[in-house]
Amino acid sequence: MMAVLALSEDWWLSSPQHPQLNLPCKMPLDNYSVLLEAGLIDDPYQQCNESKVQWVAKADWCLSHEFELELAQLDKDFIELKLSRLDTVVDVYINQHKLASCDNMFRLWRFDIKPWLKAGRNQLQLYFHRADVAAQQRAGKLPFVVPSSMSNNQVPFMNSLRKTQCHAGWDWGICLMVSGVYETPQICFNQQARLLATQVEQHWSADGVTLHLKAEHQLNSQQDIHFQFAEHSFVVTAEPGCEVSQTTLHITEPQLWWPAGYGEQVLHRFTVTLGEQRIEKKVGLRKLQLNTQADSLGSAMTVMINDVAITAKGANWIPMDAMPQRQSVARYQQLLGDAKAANMNMLRVWGGGQYESDVFYQLCDELGLMVWQDMMFACSLYPSTDDFVANVELELRDQIRRLRDYSCIVLWCGDNEVIGAINWYPESKQNRERYVVNYDRLNRAIQKVVQACDPSRVFWPSSPCNGELDYGDAWHDDNKGDMHFWDVWHSGKSFSAYQQIKPRFCSEFGYQSWPSLAEVKTFVAEEDWNISSPTFECHQKNPSGNSIITEMFTRLFRFPANFEQMLYLSQVQQALAIKTACDYWRANSPWCRGMLYWQLNDNWPVSSWSSIEYSGRWKQLHYHAKRFFAPQYASFVETEQGLQLHMLNDSRQKLAMQCRLRWFDWQGQQLSDERLELELSADENALIWHCEAAKLAKKREAGFFIAQWQSEAQELQNSWFSGPPKALAMVKAKVSFEFDAAQQSILLTSDKPAFFVHLEADAPGRFEDSSFTLLPNEVRKIRYWGDDYPQMAASLRVYHLTDSY
């Protein structure tokens, strides 16, 4: 007899405001996706359809399901309904009995439903109330105004509701106030006992690690609890009334889990069995610390894994899709695999999104991607009433207990930019003391739950933040804590502003680009291929975004010739911005120990700060990130003393390697060629070459430098030229290409130096490398990684800088 009944099939979606609708569907689902599949709404991601589908959010919705039970199933001691990712204000009915009113999409709901079941046909109904109305009602009951982020949200009062904040829109996100259930509901049947949760506590000492293996349960009779960790097995007998069983295991020489680039990701199988119930996990063993020790200029912000200082390199993660039904295992695998492929080792799960599904963290464990985990608060102030705090505390207990055994999570962070938001709104600026107290009350409650549920990890109050109880300006203070640096994008400073700061850890910085032409084709009709067309502007959610991109063109480049070249050049510009920051901050290692740019991914096709488009296509930035995040990287830094070349070794191994440094004039004539033989220690930042200012003055206008080296068997390059490309004597290059179908490759050549040579096609997949410098009379072979080589070959476009105007 089944112990778990998954309620995935044969659901029906209806709405009391739209009685003609009664649509078949299956779990997991969101209402927008169901309506789209039924042909009842236009695709919200196409053209200007966003405005046409807002009626969906202005209705209540009901999901109904019928299931059969046998009489023997009703004899079980425990019959419970499990609901998770239930979005958001939902009444739950079993056989017309109102079981509960739910109001938090981040809770893991478990209900005893045995008293309301019967043999034969049973009915489960989920009645979804309008989220916008519920948010307004909650806001109206607050003792004083708590401002919300209307610069991002199109729906007010979202901060009063425990729902994904960016569902109401963001400055990169569509407004779709979805409702639904994003994990399949389950009914669990258990006799005599329930297995509720398991945990592996890691306690590290000089002679290894001691593991406390725990199981939480509810028992009606004496039971044997079976623990297994790797090859080690234990049996613990528990009595009724006992809520937690545990055993201890000491491992003297554990096989360790390491972040990507620092070692292997060894995962050990951990299982707990209670009767027919089993919980199985894979757990990595690693010693985790956050070094925030004071030093000569401030304090460190360094993740330590197994006593090794880690340079965190990566990006910020937002929910992968505005229609949650589309969040699939395959897409998680692709996006996270692409992060790893770009030499990332950390992602920050941003606080305006969601606690991610288990598959996200499982994959991060397997790939060695550390996770900076925000709690779900962002860019607004939040209530601190007793009811709101109590609801948040239950949410946090659910999520932390679910996630704490994932090795990838290295930090719990209270929120995104909420400390800073105190200074954004008229109400809080005029009465700052009240709102600081309000913030502190909620933040301390979050901290208390984190420390109770998972004392093994540091609680970081906010991002950005100078440290505990420090409400300073972490947007501009680069000496301690983590920093968000937005002066280039939001304040219009030049890219050189990145070189005026030395952050200890920069957890947000970014620069927008427009989508590629291949992406634009998926949502804009050809007659609207213009950055000022209504359709294109509908997919630009930052009010000044198009103006900022265009204005920066005039500072750096000769103005692009047409719409297609504008798209291309915007991605060159984005890549150059983030590369400028990362090159400089890496060259200041170990002062800077973290750089997470905004943002990795998009949740719909849009102009944004992402390095991977909604379709999964890599922007030029992502190809550059693969180079500037490489474990071994050559970084140019210009100072008053001249031009320096640093070689970084972000690994635990001592390495012997070679860097080739060449100087070319703009016609492509090689003026010098140096081969630098290197011995790099682990975690070393070595100054390997220097050109004095006087000598550089004679060279800077004449041409460019290019460094070439290998990192983990990959051929890498970094080019340096002295100023804005528009002011340099770059020669028009003629880039040619031919296909090698047998090798799934493209062969590229150029008669002159060609910069930011970028391959793009309408076919899915990506290229081995792109947006690189192509030297004259050298053949560059680039493999295509995708499933449709003929389509790629038929649609291939090759761009380069001097062809953009």
Side-chain angles (χ1 to χ4, degrees), residues 43 96 131 232 255 259 287 302 402 429 453 532 624 642 727 742 784:
D43 188 339
Q96 312 304 314
H232 306 280
Q255 292 181 288
K287 183 179 179 181
T302 305
R402 175 175 74 96
K429 286 193 290 186
C453 294
S532 297
H624 281 267
Y784 164 71

Side-chain angles (χ1 to χ4, degrees), residues 407-545:
S407 307
C408 58
I409 298 176
V410 296
L411 179 147
W412 302 112
C413 180
D415 60 67
N416 172 79
E417 297 188 349
V418 179
I419 288 178
I422 297 172
N423 300 318
W424 296 350
Y425 301 102
E427 299 89 345
S428 53
K429 286 193 290 186
Q430 293 165 10
N431 194 349
R432 192 173 193 276
E433 188 172 301
R434 165 189 275 183
Y435 288 92
V436 168
V437 171
N438 175 73
Y439 173 84
D440 191 65
R441 183 181 296 154
L442 176 61
N443 194 256
R444 283 181 180 271
I446 296 171
Q447 180 178 15
K448 184 177 180 181
V449 176
V450 169
Q451 292 175 341
C453 294
D454 184 19
S456 72
R457 291 178 177 88
V458 164
F459 172 73
W460 193 247
S462 181
S463 182
C465 180
N466 293 138
E468 188 174 5
L469 298 179
D470 189 333
Y471 293 167
D473 183 3
W475 275 264
H476 299 96
D477 186 350
D478 59 353
N479 292 325
K480 55 187 175 180
D482 75 307
M483 185 180 193
H484 289 188
F485 188 71
W486 284 102
D487 283 7
V488 174
W489 175 260
H490 287 301
S491 300
K493 291 187 177 181
S494 68
F495 292 174
S496 63
Y498 290 122
Q499 299 166 326
Q500 307 306 312
I501 61 168
K502 297 179 180 180
R504 312 311 295 266
F505 196 118
C506 196
S507 51
E508 268 195 34
F509 60 103
Y511 205 88
Q512 259 203 14
S513 74
W514 293 315
S516 64
L517 180 62
E519 193 81 358
V520 167
K521 288 179 179 180
T522 68
F523 67 91
V524 180
E526 187 170 356
E527 59 266 24
D528 283 340
W529 286 4
N530 187 296
I531 64 164
S532 297
S533 74
T535 305
F536 198 77
E537 287 186 339
C538 280
H539 292 252
Q540 168 59 277
K541 295 300 184 180
N542 185 263
S544 303

Side-chain angles (χ1 to χ4, degrees), residues 339-412:
K340 172 73 174 286
N343 289 308
M344 295 183 182
N345 61 20
M346 180 181 278
L347 297 174
R348 173 173 171 248
V349 178
W350 168 72
Q354 62 190 12
Y355 305 97
E356 281 296 337
S357 66
D358 282 307
V359 67
F360 172 90
Y361 302 97
Q362 290 166 3
L363 287 167
C364 286
D365 270 2
E366 294 169 7
L367 295 169
L369 295 172
M370 298 178 290
V371 172
W372 172 309
Q373 179 66 54
D374 280 2
M375 303 312 182
M376 293 301 117
F377 307 89
C379 297
S380 294
L381 305 184
Y382 288 85
S384 64
T385 59
D386 291 344
D387 288 348
F388 189 87
V389 171
N391 197 359
V392 168
E393 288 175 342
L394 292 171
E395 159 196 324
L396 294 173
R397 288 193 182 97
D398 286 347
Q399 294 297 338
I400 294 169
R401 291 168 71 244
R402 175 175 74 96
L403 299 176
R404 62 193 173 189
D405 278 339
Y406 289 108
S407 307
C408 58
I409 298 176
V410 296
L411 179 147
W412 302 112

